[in-house]
Amino acid sequence: MKKSNFIYLIIGFSLALLVMSILSIISYKRLTSFILFSDQIEHTFKVLDVVERVGSSAREAESSLRGYVLTRDSTYLTPLFLAHTTLPPMLDSLAVLVREDKMQLMRLSLLRHNLNLRLKVLESTIPMVNDGTYDSVLVDKMASGRRLMEDFKGVLNQMTAAEKKLLASRFTQKEMYQQMTPYAFRQVFIVVGLVCLLLFILLLRELFERIKSQNALQQQVMALKQSYAELAQLAFAASHDLQEPVRKIRMFTDRVIIKQKNKLDNEGQMLLGRLDASASRLQGMLEDISDFMTLIDSSEEKELVSINKIIEEVIDLFDAELHSKLAKINISPLPVLEVYPSQVRALFRAMFDNSLKFAHPQRPPQIDVTSRYLEEKEVDAFLQPHLSKAYLAITISDNGIGFDNRFSEKIFQLFRRLHPNDTYTGKGIGLAICQRVMANHNGFIAAEGLPDQGASFTLFFPKG
């Protein structure tokens, strides 16, 4: 998948998620409002029910006294006596229901006051009826009771009217949200469906392109495998089959030099010498190719080994040359790594051989080996596409003749030389071997140099 297409897919999914979140929040708020107004409507119905029951109880109490006056039957007084126990809890529950409405609380307080006065008037009439004095004050009592009842009914009607007005408003809002909520959900499903369909089409297209790319890549891999097999056969022939003719050339050249030396003039002896030297160099190059191919097809198992110990073994191989050149090697403590021991040994052998071979003629060689751990962001500077997140960097630096950094990558090519044979010996394969060894360890090598000041080679071993 192309990076740009991948970015577009991420943006698409992000926008889809954002739209889904916004629409979901809107739908949730509308659904919450719908539920809230439904609860408020139910609450209003409760208030109206309590108000209706209070009015009904008050009317029953008043009617009960009229029945008693007419019949003198005390059973008619039961609703009046019950009003003392039934009405206060109703009023209290009504106070709880309208506690957030100040106007209704004020009306409720006035209603409670009028109701208490009305009950007192009704109760004060009972003794008069029993004593036979009720008729003398009938007009006054009836007028007083009528006023109190009218006030009571007026307050009761005000409360009822306020609740019905509030009920109508809440019904309107509920119906609005009831209609809007399904619409909002439909919008969510439509938008999300369209976005998901678009993303599915993009993913499907990318999938087909990826399958196509994988098929092309598989064909390329098969072609590369075939090319590799052919190159491996060629390299095997170069490193084995061609060595026999070269050995014979050297053998016959040696015989001519030994047996016909006195018969050849100076020019003939010089030409035979050059022929032998070229044959010797060719033989060495073929051996190096064989060694290089061994690294590619190596079946060696990795082991946990001390890098310091490997370096000590390699230094012993250069003991005579180190003494003759008065060379000094400084080695910092290095960790234990899981590596291919023989390959790492060949790696450091090539590194030290390179530093000693290209030593500065005017000063004794000095080689420093140090190490440090690097994070991925520090390795990015080397522009190497590797998967590891951390590396152990082992740096081998020297004070030799160095090189121009323009050639920092070319020096790792097979048989690539920066200096002529008559100035510095070597076949140009040592650094290529080093690069191959690092590739086998899923790492890499980088080089830096300054002419006449020295060079440094950093080996990046993946950590973990």
Side-chain angles (χ1 to χ4, degrees):
M1 183 182 295
K2 295 181 180 178
K3 186 176 181 180
S4 58
N5 292 341
F6 182 71
I7 292 175
Y8 291 148
L9 285 175
I10 291 179
I11 294 174
F13 275 114
S14 301
L15 290 175
L17 183 61
L18 179 62
V19 171
M20 288 173 60
S21 301
I22 294 174
L23 292 176
S24 298
I25 291 172
I26 295 174
S27 300
Y28 174 76
K29 287 184 176 180
R30 290 181 176 177
L31 183 61
T32 304
S33 300
F34 173 74
I35 295 173
L36 175 63
F37 285 119
S38 297
D39 292 340
Q40 289 177 346
I41 289 172
E42 184 180 356
H43 177 271
T44 304
F45 275 120
K46 289 181 180 178
V47 174
L48 290 173
D49 178 63
V50 175
V51 170
E52 177 63 25
R53 286 193 287 119
V54 169
S56 177
S57 296
R59 288 191 294 272
E60 288 179 0
E62 187 173 11
S63 298
S64 68
L65 182 62
R66 292 195 187 100
Y68 179 71
V69 170
L70 294 174
T71 63
R72 299 297 192 274
D73 186 354
S74 62
T75 56
Y76 281 96
L77 295 176
T78 302
L80 177 61
F81 296 144
L82 288 175
H84 286 285
T85 57
T86 58
L87 285 174
M90 291 184 188
L91 295 175
D92 292 339
S93 65
L94 189 58
V96 174
L97 291 172
V98 298
R99 63 182 179 276
E100 296 180 359
D101 191 335
K102 293 182 179 180
M103 288 299 299
Q104 290 291 65
L105 285 175
M106 292 175 60
R107 295 186 185 107
L108 178 62
S109 177
L110 184 59
L111 184 69
R112 192 191 296 268
H113 176 71
N114 290 340
L115 185 60
N116 288 333
L117 290 177
R118 179 57 177 159
L119 291 177
K120 287 180 180 179
V121 170
L122 292 175
E123 290 175 348
S124 65
T125 305
I126 296 173
M128 296 178 185
V129 173
N130 294 333
D131 296 340
T133 59
Y134 176 71
D135 294 335
S136 61
V137 292
L138 178 61
V139 176
D140 293 335
K141 288 291 182 180
M142 289 181 64
S144 175
R146 188 181 300 110
R147 288 195 300 272
L148 288 174
M149 197 61 185
E150 288 178 354
D151 291 340
F152 173 78
K153 289 180 179 179
V155 175
L156 203 64
N157 290 334
Q158 289 177 3
M159 292 188 70
T160 303
E163 289 298 324
K164 287 184 177 180
K165 182 179 180 181
L166 188 61
L167 180 64
S169 173
R170 288 172 176 175
F171 257 123
T172 302
Q173 291 175 319
K174 177 190 173 184
E175 289 176 356
M176 180 183 68
Y177 280 102
Q178 189 173 2
Q179 294 174 357
M180 291 173 61
T181 300
Y183 175 77
F185 277 113
R186 283 197 299 270
Q187 295 300 316
V188 171
F189 290 136
I190 291 173
V191 172
V192 172
L194 290 175
V195 173
C196 290
L197 179 61
L198 178 61
L199 292 176
F200 176 75
I201 293 173
L202 291 176
L203 283 174
L204 198 61
R205 189 182 68 177
E206 290 298 328
L207 178 62
F208 284 132
E209 289 184 0
R210 186 162 188 173
I211 292 174
K212 183 178 178 181
S213 299
Q214 285 182 341
N215 292 335
L217 182 62
Q218 188 174 5
Q219 292 178 357
Q220 292 178 358
V221 169
M222 293 177 64
L224 285 174
K225 285 183 177 180
Q226 184 176 357
S227 299
Y228 173 77
E230 294 172 353
L231 289 174
Q233 293 175 5
L234 180 61
F236 182 84
S239 59
H240 292 82
D241 297 342
L242 297 181
Q243 285 191 16
E244 181 62 24
V246 174
R247 281 196 296 268
K248 288 184 178 180
I249 291 173
R250 292 200 64 194
M251 181 182 67
F252 292 140
T253 303
D254 290 341
R255 287 183 181 180
V256 172
I257 292 175
I258 293 172
K259 294 183 178 181
Q260 304 296 329
K261 182 177 182 180
N262 296 329
K263 296 180 181 180
L264 296 174
D265 56 11
N266 291 336
E267 184 180 1
Q269 292 181 11
M270 180 192 67
L271 291 175
L272 281 175
R274 289 187 176 181
L275 178 62
D276 183 64
S278 297
S280 176
R281 177 173 174 76
L282 178 57
Q283 186 177 18
M285 293 174 69
L286 292 174
E287 292 174 352
D288 289 339
I289 291 176
S290 178
D291 293 338
F292 189 81
M293 291 302 299
T294 302
L295 291 175
I296 295 178
D297 294 326
S298 176
S299 58
E300 183 181 8
E301 297 291 334
K302 281 188 176 182
E303 297 179 14
L304 279 173
V305 296
S306 169
I307 303 299
N308 284 96
K309 184 177 180 181
I310 289 180
I311 292 178
E312 290 173 1
E313 295 173 358
V314 173
I315 291 176
D316 291 339
L317 301 176
F318 293 96
D319 186 62
E321 189 174 0
L322 292 173
H323 281 87
S324 64
K325 293 185 176 182
L326 302 177
K328 184 179 180 182
I329 299 181
N330 300 316
I331 305 173
S332 299
L334 303 173
V336 174
L337 293 179
E338 187 176 15
V339 296
Y340 301 109
S342 64
Q343 294 186 30
V344 174
R345 195 174 291 109
L347 166 69
F348 282 103
R349 184 167 63 247
M351 285 281 94
F352 291 151
D353 179 66
N354 186 77
S355 295
L356 294 174
K357 189 178 295 178
F358 296 101
H360 200 283
Q362 298 178 358
R363 53 178 176 260
Q366 179 174 327
I367 303 173
D368 298 311
V369 182
T370 58
S371 69
R372 65 190 181 105
Y373 284 101
L374 300 175
E375 296 298 326
E376 182 183 21
K377 59 183 179 181
E378 300 178 82
V379 182
D380 286 343
F382 295 96
L383 303 177
Q384 296 289 342
H386 288 75
L387 299 178
S388 181
K389 300 299 182 183
Y391 291 84
L392 170 68
I394 300 178
T395 302
I396 301 99
S397 56
D398 60 51
N399 62 344
I401 62 173
F403 61 88
D404 193 324
N405 266 332
R406 292 179 301 169
F407 307 106
S408 60
E409 295 183 4
K410 293 182 179 180
I411 59 176
F412 295 106
Q413 297 175 2
L414 278 169
F415 306 119
R416 179 76 178 191
R417 293 177 53 83
L418 301 182
H419 307 282
N421 291 336
D422 54 357
T423 305
Y424 294 96
T425 61
K427 298 184 287 293
I429 198 172
L431 294 180
I433 289 176
C434 295
Q435 189 180 53
R436 182 68 253 178
V437 170
M438 293 308 301
N440 290 349
H441 288 83
N442 296 321
F444 58 97
I445 182 172
E448 291 182 317
L450 287 173
D452 292 326
Q453 295 188 31
S456 64
F457 297 86
T458 303
L459 313 173
F460 293 92
F461 288 93
K463 181 183 177 183

